[in-house]
């Protein structure tokens, strides 16, 4: 029996892009030596995405659809696709065609060569703008500085894993606050990269606002590093050193002038120390929020309906 490639596609308000995505991707998949399944995950879309997916599923039995009961987020959609996939290799990608389907043949070659994890590294993304590109580069530099796990810079949500690597992700990486592409890079196995240039978005706009990107970045740092929790130690040591310096300056000033001064210095120091204190309390609060989410153990996603899956 031949091998199967599962292609997981996260969809949120992608009504205008789905037909073109399906046409291009299915055309490429049909030429590959492996059989395939196209798994679309409707992440609580508010437009006609589900209507288009129903149409595609009715025309092609290889198109399978998972529809959430509400919007759970892009990461939850990819996890659901992994959970429902049955292929010997699984590829995760977006429906807006920024992740070029023509690279599927190269991914398949890597699977045939024995690789379990294939990171798709973006070399260029003009549609993102200079700010997002700069922020992405700075984020990877920072997380590599803070974390013991070293991440591939500019790795994207376009990635591929073998069946055995996917099994690890399905069974062992079930955090409620997560960074899936980080987990993919941290599980080990035989790993390789393929560079690609992001295409122009075929329709719609980015679903990641600046606020969402900042939240994702903070959650990622806290999922992969406990260094922020140690800020209190470093801040305390720094404050102690600063206190000694201020004490020396005060004694020197008193000996020279005769009367202690430095009212402005005292106010600045108090404001600075309170700022550091509140920063540390905020960091601890974020870690507690993550622990609280894990303790509640609510589902990562809830499926409303599925299409073309065997019972």
């Amino acid at each position: 029996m031949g091998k199967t490639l599962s292609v997981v596609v996260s969809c949120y308000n992608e009504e205008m892009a789905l037909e073109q995505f399906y046409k291009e991707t299915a055309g490429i998949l049909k030429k590959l030596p492996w059989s395939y399944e196209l798994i679309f995950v409707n992440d609580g879309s508010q437009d006609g995405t589900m209507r288009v997916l129903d149409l595609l599923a009715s025309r092609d039995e290889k198109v399978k659809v998972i529809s959430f009961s509400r919007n759970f987020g892009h990461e939850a959609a990819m996890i659901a696709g992994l959970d429902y996939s049955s292929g010997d290799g699984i590829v995760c990608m977006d429906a807006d065609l920024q992740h070029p389907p023509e690279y599927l043949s190269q991914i398949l070659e890597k699977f045939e060569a024995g690789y379990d994890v294939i990171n798709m590294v973006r070399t260029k993304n003009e549609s993102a703008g200079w700010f997002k590109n700069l922020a992405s580069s700075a984020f990877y530099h920072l997380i590599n500085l803070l974390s013991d796990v070293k991440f591939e810079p500019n790795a994207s949500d376009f990635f591929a894993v073998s069946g055995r690597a996917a099994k690890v992700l399905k069974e062992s990486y079930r955090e409620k606050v997560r960074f899936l592409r980080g987990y993919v890079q941290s599980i080990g196995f035989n790993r390789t990269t393929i560079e690609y240039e992001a295409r122009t978005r075929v329709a719609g706009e980015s679903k990641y606002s600046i606020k969402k990107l900042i939240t994702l970045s903070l959650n990622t740092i806290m999922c992969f590093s406990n260094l922020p929790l140690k800020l209190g130690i470093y801040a305390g040591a720094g404050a102690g050193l600063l206190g000694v310096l201020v004490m020396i300056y005060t004694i020197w000033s008193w000996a020279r002038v005769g009367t202690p001064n430095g009212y402005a210095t005292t106010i600045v120091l108090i404001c600075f120390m309170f700022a550091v204190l509140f920063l540390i309390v905020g960091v601890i609060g974020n870690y507690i929020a993550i622990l609280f989410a894990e303790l509640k153990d609510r589902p990562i996603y809830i499926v409303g309906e599925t299409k073309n899956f065997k019972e």
Side-chain angles (χ1 to χ4, degrees), residues 66 101-102 135 154 168 181 183 185 209 229 240 250 261 269 289 292:
I66 304 165
E102 56 265 28
N154 294 320
V168 173
R181 78 182 82 158
Y183 296 154
Q185 295 188 56
S209 63
L229 280 173
T250 302
N261 56 16
L269 281 173
F292 187 48

Side-chain angles (χ1 to χ4, degrees), residues 25-217:
T25 306
I28 291 168
L29 288 170
K30 289 174 183 177
K31 297 176 183 178
L32 299 179
W34 290 19
S35 61
Y36 70 90
E37 60 178 0
L38 256 173
I39 302 175
F40 291 93
V41 184
N42 176 33
D43 183 24
S45 298
Q46 302 299 312
D47 62 357
T49 294
M50 193 60 200
R51 177 181 54 79
V52 178
L53 292 177
D54 281 338
L55 183 62
L56 294 176
S58 66
R59 294 195 322 227
D60 186 350
E61 65 179 8
K62 291 184 180 293
V63 172
K64 301 178 180 182
V65 180
I66 304 165
S67 183
F68 287 170
S69 61
R70 63 170 176 83
N71 178 254
F72 283 89
H74 181 59
E75 297 254 323
M78 290 190 291
I79 289 172
L82 286 170
D83 289 344
Y84 277 73
S85 63
S86 59
D88 301 281
I90 300 100
V91 181
C92 287
M93 59 195 307
D94 293 342
D96 55 17
L97 287 173
Q98 282 201 300
H99 298 159
E102 56 265 28
Y103 282 87
L104 289 171
S105 59
Q106 291 188 39
I107 291 172
L108 203 64
E109 289 173 3
K110 296 295 185 183
F111 279 139
E112 294 280 13
Y115 290 102
D116 293 289
V117 177
I118 304 162
N119 290 307
M120 303 299 294
V121 177
R122 186 178 56 242
T123 58
K124 193 175 181 182
N125 186 10
E126 293 182 349
S127 63
W130 69 269
F131 178 78
K132 281 191 176 180
N133 285 324
L134 179 64
S136 176
S137 178
F139 164 73
Y140 277 105
H141 180 76
L142 179 61
I143 190 64
N144 280 332
L145 191 66
L146 297 177
S147 174
D148 293 332
V149 179
K150 300 307 175 187
F151 298 97
E152 194 73 40
N154 294 320
S156 66
D157 288 328
F158 184 20
F159 61 84
V161 290
S162 67
R164 68 170 180 162
K167 184 179 179 183
V168 173
L169 294 172
K170 293 176 186 180
E171 295 178 354
S172 303
Y173 285 78
R174 308 301 295 185
E175 288 94 331
K176 305 301 180 287
V177 179
R178 73 203 72 81
F179 184 52
L180 185 56
R181 78 182 82 158
Y183 296 154
V184 167
Q185 295 188 56
S186 67
I187 59 175
F189 296 110
N190 299 322
R191 199 173 89 182
T192 188
T193 61
I194 298 176
E195 293 185 344
Y196 78 99
E197 183 176 326
R199 288 166 50 172
T200 303
R201 191 184 307 275
V202 69
E205 58 185 18
S206 175
K207 310 305 186 298
Y208 275 106
S209 63
I210 298 298
K211 181 181 177 182
K212 287 183 178 179
L213 287 173
I214 291 173
T215 301
L216 178 65
S217 299

Side-chain angles (χ1 to χ4, degrees), residues 241-295:
L241 177 61
L242 188 61
V244 170
L245 293 175
V246 171
M247 181 181 68
I248 293 171
Y249 169 75
T250 302
I251 295 172
W252 174 82
S253 178
W254 176 79
R256 183 182 179 190
V257 180
T259 56
N261 56 16
Y263 173 78
T265 304
T266 303
I267 296 300
V268 169
L269 281 173
I270 291 173
C271 291
F272 172 75
M273 294 311 301
F274 268 103
V276 172
L277 176 63
F278 287 134
L279 172 65
I280 294 168
V281 170
V283 168
I284 295 172
N286 272 333
Y287 275 101
I288 292 173
I290 291 173
L291 289 173
F292 187 48
E294 298 299 329
L295 286 172

